[in-house]
Amino acid sequence: MNKKLIFTLVSGLVSTQAFAEINLNLNPVVVTATRSAQSSFDLPVSIDAIDSETIHDARLGANLSEVSPRIPGVVINNRYNSAQELAISTRGFGARSVFGVKGVRIYADGIPLTTPDGQGQLGALNLDTVGQVEFLRGPFSALYGNSSGGVVQAITRDGSKTPTLSGGITFGSYNTKREFLTIEGQQGDVNYIMSTSQITSNGYRDHSEYRRDNFNSKISFNLNEDTKLTLVANYMNQPYTDDPQALTPTQFKQNPKQAKPIDTYTGNTRVIREQTYGGVILDHNLSETQSLRLMTYYGERSNLQYLPTSASGFKRDFGGADMRWTYKDTLFAKPFSFAAGIAYDMMEDDRKRWSTKDASNNPVGVKTALTRSEMQKAWNVDQYAQATFEPTERLLLIAGMRHSKVKMNVEDTYLGDGNAGGALEYSNTSPVLGATFKVTPSFNLYANYGEGFETPTFAEMSYSSVNGSNAGAGPNLTMKPSKTKNYEVGAKAFVTDNTRVNLAIFKIDSKNEITVADNNTSTNTSVYKSVAETERKGLELSIDSRLPYNFSFYGAYTLMDAEFKNNFANDANTASTRVSSGNKIPGTYTATTYSELMWKYPAYGFSTAVEAIYVSSTNAYDSNIAYNTFSSSTIANGKFKVDSNTLFNLRAGFTQQIGNWKLTEFARIDNLSDQSYVSSIKVNTAQAFEPGPGRNYMLGVSASYMFK
């Protein structure tokens, strides 16, 4: 290695300069890990934040998948099918979700967008008002309760001090258009920000046209110097969203742009979706050392999905409250803080299923007969506590615990006799602890440990059989929660004033992980069971550097080995072992890499960057051979792997400040090499491949005016 480089690295590690002198852009303040604002560099956890500037830097600004490759250990796959929510996984948790988000908890301003059964959605997030999105991985995620293999929290920024009106429009390939309008400001003790947006597109694939409207607002009132009241309101609407459905490997190879042949069109597969929620947050300082935070929220969601042979939908009420007391002072004359709280969340789904076939058993794309009706209810009551102590200037200790009680109940309102109903109740206590050792002011070592759990979702317990004479029977009341033991060690270092490096090494052991037990491809239904033992181990590395001549470099790398550790059968029609110990967990990637080189020319307000994203191959199925219910034509020549892919993107933009006006223009090209690739996988299904788009572009312009 070059001697000059060695000297630079060593001198950076042993530097005694104060942290305050370090570029703050490389050391964001985060709240998710400890529920109070703290430097990410000091914490013994893996947590990264993406700020508003990065989210809106020559990007569409519609989905978190646009920026998530920057976070090591996190994969948010854009299905490029808006009938399906974004798929997210953290260190492999959530990778096996066929729809929505499971295994990873989603929050917006402290309001959970994950229901008590562990199912979540990202579509309601309005990125135009986001100030920061935090990604928490590892053991400390367990302090958020059920299905917290990781935590993603979007935090709405405060409105600017000066009243400002902003708007913009973006055009792109596939007749994509996105418009937004934001108003924000400060009037006396009232701060406000409100934004609305609409995106429409014909979609990359056939039969994938959609429209989505989003609205988000936050209004804060400083009632006095010790009390602040915040109101949050959010609305999302998808009045039409065509569903091209996923493809078999053979269909993907033939033509990735096609919709699933025949029944997509005859059944007019589509989704209609709407969601509204609001929350009230009260922050009050009881004294100089004690504070109280009260939060309550309520929302409604409806979803109606038309599949080739059936339609299913639900109307949901959800809500809850969280009360937290925080104490910050000293213990033995050393910095000490303690937080304790109680959380209650509930959901109530009125779910129905209809046939969409006519009297001749042909799909017609409209509801013809009710075949299932259920009332699904769930609630949780959790108590949690977390303490932070710095016994010396070089040591920081954090410990916490959360006790969760989750109850799920299914009432059959179709048969009317309750024979197909039932209830499940789970409880769990999750301890976590971590320590940071400050080797120097610019070099930290840390370690942590935690235990977590994940209950089955209502979608996973819906059916106890999908084949044979009992096909359609439910619910499955034999399912157990999976439990994990999570270990992590890591290092964080500023190797120069303008370069930060993070390294984390982790190992996660799980028992009773939920897997597919049986499939029925004609009815698109599955049975799940709690049977797998798994192990995930790997490392995460990131580097963020401000280089000379206005260049900057950012890189993120994840290496992970995720595999089953036991043999089990995954087909109810056979007692033989279909999954072997050592098989890779489908939907998880051995390696992912993101790298970005950016250059700015401040005199002209110009910036440009090239991005490179690599994703390794992955399995689409648990086993190495097809299920009995999959015909040989469904799985092409035994091909169970999704190939690796490397995408290159290019972006550039200008910004001008003219009096009270700020103008921004940008252009972007994604997938420069026009690679054909699978962007997302619906694991353990006959139609598993969801194609990503070829080379595509977008152009955008926005303007804001400050009413000075």
Side-chain angles (χ1 to χ4, degrees):
M1 183 181 289
N2 185 287
K3 291 182 179 180
K4 185 177 180 180
L5 179 58
I6 294 175
F7 175 79
T8 301
L9 292 171
V10 173
S11 62
L13 289 173
V14 300
S15 169
T16 57
Q17 63 182 331
F19 286 125
E21 297 175 3
I22 294 172
N23 188 331
L24 291 180
N25 291 331
L26 305 178
N27 188 17
V29 173
V30 294
V31 300
T32 303
T34 60
R35 293 183 170 85
S36 63
Q38 196 160 349
S39 161
S40 64
F41 184 75
D42 296 328
L43 295 172
V45 299
S46 291
I47 185 168
D48 288 278
I50 298 179
D51 60 20
S52 178
E53 180 181 354
T54 302
I55 291 172
H56 299 109
D57 185 6
R59 294 179 172 91
L60 184 62
N63 297 302
L64 270 184
S65 57
E66 299 168 38
V67 291
S68 60
R70 299 175 62 90
I71 309 299
V74 173
V75 176
I76 301 182
N77 288 327
N78 190 335
R79 301 179 187 273
Y80 295 100
N81 173 6
S82 291
Q84 302 289 337
E85 293 273 7
L86 296 178
I88 178 173
S89 67
T90 297
R91 295 181 177 176
F93 289 102
R96 297 159 56 78
S97 177
V98 178
F99 29 75
V101 178
K102 68 177 295 288
V104 179
R105 292 194 67 85
I106 312 299
Y107 288 85
D109 299 309
I111 296 173
L113 301 184
T114 299
T115 49
D117 69 330
Q119 193 81 36
Q121 292 84 26
L122 284 166
L125 297 183
N126 185 329
L127 299 181
D128 295 314
T129 57
V130 164
Q132 184 165 284
V133 181
E134 298 179 5
F135 297 82
L136 174 64
R137 292 96 67 201
F140 272 76
S141 302
L143 287 179
Y144 284 83
N146 177 28
S147 298
S148 53
V151 179
V152 177
Q153 176 155 217
I155 301 170
T156 302
R157 62 183 175 87
D158 292 333
S160 62
K161 298 300 181 182
T162 303
T164 303
L165 179 65
S166 306
I169 186 168
T170 299
F171 297 94
S173 300
Y174 323 118
N175 200 27
T176 299
K177 182 174 71 172
R178 184 175 185 269
E179 303 163 287
F180 79 91
L181 183 67
T182 302
I183 184 170
E184 57 187 298
Q186 179 93 29
Q187 295 290 334
D189 293 328
V190 179
N191 182 275
Y192 60 91
I193 182 169
M194 293 176 281
S195 183
T196 183
S197 67
Q198 181 181 96
I199 181 171
T200 58
S201 179
N202 290 341
Y204 160 66
R205 297 174 58 198
D206 299 336
H207 195 73
S208 59
E209 184 178 3
Y210 74 93
R211 171 182 141 191
R212 190 179 78 200
D213 305 324
N214 285 90
F215 170 81
N216 192 64
S217 69
K218 186 177 82 169
I219 304 175
S220 301
F221 304 85
N222 289 321
L223 303 181
N224 55 55
E225 63 180 11
D226 290 320
T227 307
K228 179 180 179 180
L229 181 68
T230 302
L231 307 178
V232 175
N234 184 283
Y235 175 72
M236 183 271 292
N237 182 36
Q238 290 181 228
Y240 63 86
T241 304
D242 290 338
D243 183 1
Q245 303 187 81
L247 302 176
T248 67
T250 300
Q251 293 164 351
F252 170 77
K253 186 176 181 180
Q254 290 170 344
N255 176 15
K257 293 186 66 175
Q258 69 176 316
K260 180 186 174 185
I262 305 175
D263 56 12
T264 292
Y265 302 100
T266 56
N268 190 19
T269 53
R270 63 200 186 277
V271 165
I272 302 166
R273 183 180 292 138
E274 188 174 18
Q275 178 172 296
T276 305
Y277 72 83
V280 180
I281 305 165
L282 180 68
D283 292 289
H284 178 66
N285 293 324
L286 299 171
S287 66
E288 292 184 357
T289 60
Q290 300 182 63
S291 63
L292 188 66
R293 182 179 179 89
L294 304 174
M295 185 275 291
T296 184
Y297 70 98
Y298 173 78
E300 297 178 351
R301 181 180 176 91
S302 63
N303 192 91
L304 178 59
Q305 182 172 23
Y306 287 85
L307 295 171
T309 59
S310 64
S312 60
F314 64 83
K315 292 183 178 180
R316 172 181 298 161
D317 295 323
F318 63 96
D322 187 288
M323 179 176 66
R324 182 170 75 245
W325 169 74
T326 302
Y327 173 81
K328 291 184 178 182
D329 201 352
T330 59
L331 180 65
F332 306 118
K334 300 297 182 181
F336 174 77
S337 66
F338 181 80
I342 184 170
Y344 167 77
D345 305 286
M346 58 74 64
M347 63 176 289
E348 183 175 299
D349 283 9
D350 183 2
R351 287 186 174 265
K352 289 180 170 57
R353 189 181 183 98
W354 300 266
S355 171
T356 54
K357 293 183 177 181
D358 62 15
S360 300
N361 206 35
N362 297 314
V364 292
V366 296
K367 294 181 286 187
T368 56
L370 182 68
T371 60
R372 189 164 187 164
S373 179
E374 293 178 345
M375 186 67 71
Q376 299 176 344
K377 301 178 182 180
W379 56 262
N380 67 268
V381 176
D382 291 17
Q383 306 85 36
Y384 59 89
Q386 189 169 352
T388 303
F389 183 47
E390 298 181 59
T392 72
E393 293 183 356
R394 304 179 69 179
L395 185 63
L396 181 145
L397 305 174
I398 301 180
M401 184 173 292
R402 185 172 184 124
H403 176 75
S404 302
K405 184 176 182 179
V406 182
K407 186 170 183 178
M408 304 169 66
N409 182 74
V410 179
E411 178 185 352
D412 189 331
T413 57
Y414 178 62
L415 298 177
D417 57 9
N419 288 336
L424 289 172
E425 185 173 314
Y426 305 103
S427 64
N428 186 77
T429 300
S430 300
V432 298
L433 56 102
T436 298
F437 177 66
K438 301 178 182 180
V439 181
T440 74
S442 56
F443 180 36
N444 289 343
L445 296 174
Y446 72 90
N448 57 49
Y449 169 79
E451 299 178 6
F453 82 116
E454 179 181 338
T455 69
T457 64
F458 275 123
E460 290 169 328
M461 61 180 287
S462 289
Y463 298 98
S464 55
S465 176
V466 294
N467 287 299
S469 59
N470 292 325
N476 185 350
L477 301 178
T478 65
M479 301 187 69
K480 303 175 183 178
S482 65
K483 296 193 176 184
T484 61
K485 293 185 177 181
N486 202 324
Y487 311 82
E488 179 182 350
V489 295
K492 303 178 182 182
F494 286 93
V495 296
T496 69
D497 288 0
N498 292 307
T499 300
R500 175 173 168 173
V501 177
N502 290 346
L503 172 67
I505 300 173
F506 62 88
K507 183 177 184 293
I508 307 163
D509 298 316
S510 299
K511 291 187 176 181
N512 295 326
E513 190 154 329
I514 298 167
T515 66
V516 171
D518 196 14
N519 270 308
N520 187 313
T521 57
S522 64
T523 59
N524 294 294
T525 53
S526 299
V527 173
Y528 297 83
K529 59 182 177 181
S530 308
V531 67
E533 296 180 9
T534 65
E535 179 187 67
R536 300 168 173 89
K537 56 181 182 291
L539 66 84
E540 299 167 355
L541 176 68
S542 66
I543 179 170
D544 195 354
S545 183
R546 308 296 185 260
L547 304 173
Y549 306 107
N550 295 317
F551 280 93
S552 64
F553 173 80
Y554 181 83
Y557 173 71
T558 305
L559 178 67
M560 182 173 67
D561 180 27
E563 62 181 29
F564 296 108
K565 302 301 290 184
N566 65 325
N567 303 321
F568 61 91
N570 65 345
D571 190 327
N573 297 324
T574 179
S576 63
T577 297
R578 306 299 292 272
V579 178
S580 302
S581 175
N583 281 11
K584 301 301 182 183
I585 300 175
T588 64
Y589 302 94
T590 301
T592 60
T593 305
Y594 176 86
S595 57
E596 171 187 293
L597 182 65
M598 177 189 287
W599 180 68
K600 293 184 177 182
Y601 193 68
Y604 288 93
F606 175 75
S607 68
T608 185
V610 60
E611 307 165 5
I613 304 171
Y614 169 77
V615 176
S616 67
S617 63
T618 185
N619 290 354
Y621 306 94
D622 287 339
S623 58
N624 296 323
I625 54 176
Y627 298 149
N628 289 344
T629 50
F630 294 170
S631 66
S632 59
S633 62
T634 299
I635 307 301
N637 300 320
K639 183 176 177 59
F640 290 86
K641 281 187 175 294
V642 176
D643 293 334
S644 63
N645 65 79
T646 303
L647 304 180
F648 295 96
N649 308 321
L650 179 66
R651 68 178 196 263
F654 286 92
T655 299
Q656 306 91 41
Q657 189 75 49
I658 307 173
N660 292 356
W661 287 94
K662 181 180 179 181
L663 306 175
T664 302
E665 308 86 24
F666 79 88
R668 182 180 183 90
I669 303 175
D670 287 331
N671 195 1
L672 282 165
S673 61
D674 198 27
Q675 182 172 145
S676 177
Y677 70 103
V678 175
S679 64
S680 183
I681 307 162
K682 298 182 72 172
V683 300
N684 293 323
T685 62
Q687 288 78 38
F689 287 17
E690 298 184 291
R695 185 186 302 113
N696 62 95
Y697 77 93
M698 63 184 70
L699 302 170
V701 59
S702 63
S704 62
Y705 182 81
M706 300 181 68
F707 296 88
K708 294 183 178 179

